[in-house]
Amino acid sequence: MANKNLFLSASIIVFLVIAASPPHQAQPTLSVLDKNGKPISVLTDGDSIRLEIKTATQADQPTLISFALLPDNLPIAECTIAKGSNTCQTDSFNALGWYWNKNRQPQSSRSIRASVGATLIATTDIQVSSRPAVLVHGFGSSAAAWTTYLGDKGFLASIGVRGFAVGDGQVPGKLDLGELTNPIARTGTIQSNAQILRDYIAAVKKLTGAQMVDLIAHSMGNLVSRYYIDRVMGERDVAQMVMLGPPNQGTDCAYLPSSLGYYLPAALEIRPSYVQNIFNPQITHRHGIPFSIVAGTPIIESLKSPCTAVPTDLAISLASASGIPASIKQSDALHTDLNTAPHVFDEFVKPLLRRAADEFAFEPDPPTSLSSSETIQFTRVITGHIDPGSSATHTINIDNVAVASFALFDSTRSLTVTVRGATGNVIVLDPTRNGLTVVKDPETLVYLGYGFNNPRPGPWQITLQTTDATPSTGADFALTAQLKGGAILLANASPLLPKVNQPVQLSVRLELGGQPLTIRDATARMRSPDGAMQNIALASTGIEWRTSWTPHLPGLYGIDILINGNAPDNLPIERNAFLSIEAQPAPEQFQPIQLGLIGILVGLALILAWVSRRVWSKVG
C-alpha cells in the first residue's frame, strides 16, 4: 500500500510539471524563393533566388540571420528581422556553383542553414541541376566545330552538363561568320552575330528552364561573345566566359582573305587595326562575369609562323589572346585543336565548368588600356586567280631581314608551291628546316606557310600550281611574307571614327633603326562597306607621305597602304600596312533650302488663316 501511494504521488508531480510548462512553440521555417517570390524546392545552378526566414514570435530587437550552404558551411547571404517582425528576406543573389562541391564533384542536393550567431535555428533542402553551356564557333566555321563537346558521349555529357552549339538546330539560331562554299558572300557583323547569340541563349534558357549559361567560344566567336556581354545582354545570364584562342588583339592572318575581298566584313573585323583601335576601346564592360583564356603556344620559332607573332597557335598569337585582362593559361594545342582536343578540355575547360560556389566572385570591369602589341611587318600582298591546269609565278622582294615567313591563302586549299630564292635556285620546303605547314581548317585564315632564317636579300619567286583537287572554277589566292628585323613601315589614320563626309588623314613613314628611309611611292587601297574599291596616291611631305580622304558611306573601311622604298644599300623595300576606320552616320540636319521651304509654307498658312478670319467676320 505504501508503494502504491508513492507511485501515485510521483505521477501527480510529473503531471503538474507538464501542465505548468509553456505550450510547444513552432520552429522557424526557412524557404528558398525564386525571382518572382515563389517558394521552390528545385533550381538550376546560377538561378536568381532569395532566402526567407519566419519565426513563431515577433523579435523584441533587430535580429541578424546568417545563411550558409552545407556541407561546407559557406556563408551565402544575410537578412535582419526587424523589431516587432517575425520574418525577413535576403537580397536576390545567384546560386552559382551550387551543383559542384569543393572537390569538383556533382552534388544534386544541397542543404541551407539559418543561424543566429552560432545557434542553428532552421534548415532546408534544395535540389540542384547543372546549368547548360552555349558554344560559339569562330570565323568561317559552324556548329560542327563542337562535335567532340556535344552528344551523349561528348565532353560535356561526361560531366553532366548539357551543351548547345549555336547553329546546331537544338534551338533556332545560326551565326554568319563566313560560308566556305561562298567566300565572296557578305557575312554578318560582330554586332548582328551578337544579336543572333542573344536569341539563341534566350531559346536555350526557355528550353532548359535555366537562368544562366556558361559561354565557351573559339576564335572569332570570342569577339561576338564579348560584344554580346557588353552591348546586347540585358539582365546578366552568363555565369562565366571561357575563351579558347581568342583574337583579343586581332590576327594578322586576316589580311590574306580580306585582301581578296573574301568573308567581308568579318575578315575586316578580325584584323588587328580594327580590334585594337576600334573594338577594344568600346567593348569593355563584363557585368561581373569572370573571363578565362586558354591560349595555344606550341609554335615558338618565327619561321614556322606565317602570319602571327610568336609564341602562337598558328592563327592567334599569345600577345593577341592575352590582349585583354583575364586569367590566362597556355596550352600546347594548335588553333584548330583548342576546341576539339580532349586534353584541352580535361586540363582547362572542365575545371572551369565545375567551379564551386566560393569560386564565383563578382569581377569588376578592368581598366581600359591602349594596345601595345608589336606591329608586324609584311611585304605587299599579291592576289590573283589561277585556272585549272595552270600556274602563276610571282616575285616578292626581300631586303635585309632576320626572318621571312611566307603565308598563302587559297580558297580551294588545293594549290602547290615552288620557291626559288634570290639565287634563282629551287628550295625544297621541309617541315623541320622551313616550318612547312599545310592547314585545311579555314579558321586559321591561312592555308600554307613556310619560312627562312636570314634569307638572302633580293627577288624571291613563288610559283603556284593547280592540282587535280583544284575545282573547275580555279583558285583565288593571296600571298605575302611576314618579315622580322628589317625596315619598319609606320602608318596612321585619323580620326578612326569619323562622321560620314568627314575627311580622314592618312600618313606613313619608313624607318630602319629609328632613321627615316626613302619612300619612292605610296598608294592607299580603300575597301568601302559596300565592297567597292578605290586607290588613292599619297604624296611626299618630307619624311612622311600623306593624303586626305573622305568616307561617304557609314560602316567599316579596310585601308591597305602599299609602299615601295629603298634601303641604305639601295635594295628595294616593299611593305604593306593595314588600317581600319569606321565611319559613323552623320546626324540628319535640315538644309537651308528645306528651312526656306518650311518658312514659306508657314507664312502661307498664316496668311490663309488671316484671310479666313476677315471673311467670316464680314459674313457674321
Side-chain angles (χ1 to χ4, degrees):
M1 187 68 178
N3 290 337
K4 182 177 180 181
N5 291 334
L6 181 62
F7 173 78
L8 181 60
S9 300
S11 299
I12 292 172
I13 291 171
V14 169
F15 173 79
L16 291 174
V17 170
I18 294 175
S21 299
H24 176 70
Q25 294 183 357
Q27 294 297 312
T29 58
L30 171 57
S31 302
V32 181
L33 310 179
D34 66 13
K35 62 181 181 180
N36 298 316
K38 178 183 176 182
I40 55 173
S41 59
V42 177
L43 63 79
T44 301
D45 192 310
D47 283 357
S48 177
I49 62 171
R50 286 176 290 162
L51 301 178
E52 180 183 66
I53 189 75
K54 287 185 177 180
T55 61
T57 59
Q58 295 179 344
D60 57 5
Q61 61 182 351
T63 305
L64 177 65
I65 311 297
S66 300
F67 301 92
L69 187 66
L70 303 179
D72 305 324
N73 205 30
L74 178 69
I76 52 175
E78 293 179 340
C79 69
T80 298
I81 300 176
K83 180 180 179 180
S85 177
N86 70 332
T87 184
C88 69
Q89 291 183 8
T90 68
D91 293 333
S92 296
F93 65 97
N94 296 110
L96 281 167
W98 283 28
Y99 184 71
W100 306 101
N101 63 26
K102 64 180 181 180
N103 297 319
R104 302 189 184 278
Q105 296 302 310
Q107 187 157 344
S108 58
S109 179
R110 285 284 198 173
S111 294
I112 305 167
R113 61 176 290 168
S115 302
V116 177
T119 303
L120 171 67
I121 63 170
T123 62
T124 191
D125 294 329
I126 188 84
Q127 299 300 306
V128 186
S129 59
S130 61
R131 63 182 176 273
V134 171
L135 314 171
V136 189
H137 67 74
F139 179 91
S141 189
S142 68
W146 300 103
T147 301
T148 56
Y149 273 72
L150 300 176
D152 295 340
K153 300 187 182 206
F155 297 157
L156 295 176
S158 70
I159 61 170
V161 171
R162 189 170 180 183
F164 297 82
V166 185
D168 62 4
Q170 293 190 73
V171 298
K174 180 181 179 183
L175 298 180
D176 182 10
L177 290 172
E179 290 284 348
L180 298 183
T181 56
N182 191 10
I184 62 173
R186 302 289 293 180
T187 72
T189 62
I190 290 175
Q191 177 184 5
S192 67
N193 279 293
Q195 292 166 343
I196 293 169
L197 178 59
R198 171 198 61 200
D199 296 340
Y200 189 90
I201 291 174
V204 168
K205 293 192 305 182
K206 182 177 180 180
L207 178 66
T208 62
Q211 296 175 24
M212 278 201 177
V213 302
D214 286 328
L215 272 186
I216 307 173
H218 181 233
S219 195
M220 192 176 183
N222 287 282
L223 301 184
V224 173
S225 300
R226 284 177 56 196
Y227 192 99
Y228 167 75
I229 289 170
D230 184 291
R231 295 291 177 89
V232 180
M233 181 180 70
E235 183 180 12
R236 176 181 170 181
D237 58 12
V238 175
Q240 63 178 322
M241 176 81 228
V242 181
M243 315 177 82
L244 306 178
N248 286 325
Q249 295 285 348
T251 172
D252 295 277
C253 298
Y255 299 146
L256 295 164
S258 66
S259 295
L260 282 167
Y262 276 13
Y263 309 114
L264 300 180
L268 293 176
E269 290 183 318
I270 200 174
R271 294 185 356 169
S273 53
Y274 175 77
V275 179
Q276 294 175 16
N277 301 319
I278 297 175
F279 184 86
N280 281 348
Q282 299 182 77
I283 306 303
T284 59
H285 300 301
R286 302 186 186 180
H287 303 287
I289 298 168
F291 283 26
S292 300
I293 297 170
V294 181
T297 56
I299 300 173
I300 58 175
E301 296 180 68
S302 293
L303 68 83
K304 295 182 179 180
S305 178
C307 47
T308 65
V310 292
T312 178
D313 64 13
L314 187 63
I316 309 297
S317 68
L318 175 61
S320 178
S322 59
I324 61 171
S327 169
I328 184 166
K329 293 186 177 180
Q330 298 181 34
S331 169
D332 61 358
L334 290 169
H335 191 71
T336 52
D337 297 331
L338 284 169
N339 60 317
T340 60
H343 76 279
V344 174
F345 177 78
D346 289 339
E347 295 175 22
F348 303 105
V349 180
K350 182 163 67 174
L352 292 170
L353 297 182
R354 299 195 298 181
R355 278 180 163 176
D358 60 348
E359 297 178 298
F360 278 98
F362 184 92
E363 297 198 9
D365 294 336
T368 302
S369 58
L370 296 177
S371 167
S372 60
S373 59
E374 173 188 3
T375 299
I376 299 179
Q377 298 296 306
F378 289 89
T379 66
R380 67 189 180 107
V381 179
I382 300 170
T383 60
H385 178 86
I386 307 177
D387 293 323
S390 302
S391 64
T393 299
H394 297 277
T395 299
I396 292 181
N397 287 305
I398 303 296
D399 50 296
N400 286 294
V401 296
V403 181
S405 188
F406 292 76
L408 172 67
F409 175 85
D410 166 17
S411 61
T412 66
R413 298 172 298 284
S414 67
L415 300 177
T416 61
V417 173
T418 301
V419 179
R420 291 181 183 272
T423 62
N425 297 325
V426 172
I427 301 174
V428 178
L429 300 178
D430 176 85
T432 302
R433 293 194 305 272
N434 311 113
L436 177 63
T437 303
V438 179
V439 187
K440 296 293 186 180
D441 193 317
E443 283 197 71
T444 60
L445 300 148
V446 63
Y447 158 62
L448 188 147
Y450 52 91
F452 305 90
N453 287 322
N454 301 309
R456 182 184 291 272
W460 285 61
Q461 291 188 332
I462 293 89
T463 300
L464 305 177
Q465 175 72 54
T466 59
T467 64
D468 292 341
T470 304
S472 59
T473 54
D476 294 332
F477 69 88
L479 175 70
T480 189
Q482 177 197 165
L483 307 175
K484 288 187 176 296
I488 296 175
L489 178 63
L490 302 172
N492 183 60
S494 181
L496 296 173
L497 297 170
K499 293 285 192 297
V500 167
N501 298 324
Q502 178 183 356
V504 175
Q505 306 302 317
L506 304 176
S507 63
V508 295
R509 69 180 187 273
L510 187 65
E511 295 182 352
L512 179 62
Q515 298 301 311
L517 295 180
T518 300
I519 294 177
R520 289 183 280 111
D521 59 76
T523 302
R525 187 183 189 203
M526 315 290 186
R527 188 178 294 277
S528 64
D530 62 1
M533 295 295 301
Q534 179 185 10
N535 290 331
I536 299 177
L538 281 71
S540 175
T541 60
I543 294 177
E544 289 191 336
W545 285 56
R546 295 176 175 272
T547 192
S548 180
W549 158 81
T550 303
H552 296 296
L553 292 173
L556 179 59
Y557 289 77
I559 306 172
D560 300 351
I561 300 181
L562 171 66
I563 69 97
N564 291 296
N566 288 102
D569 56 6
N570 216 34
L571 274 173
I573 295 176
E574 297 175 342
R575 293 290 187 275
N576 232 146
F578 307 91
L579 304 174
S580 300
I581 68 104
E582 192 165 50
Q584 310 299 301
E588 294 185 5
Q589 297 177 344
F590 287 110
Q591 299 300 320
I593 187 170
Q594 294 172 315
L595 291 172
L597 180 60
I598 291 172
I600 292 171
L601 292 174
V602 171
L604 288 173
L606 292 173
I607 292 171
L608 288 173
W610 180 81
V611 171
S612 177
R613 284 198 301 273
R614 292 294 298 264
V615 170
W616 280 107
S617 64
K618 290 181 179 181
V619 172

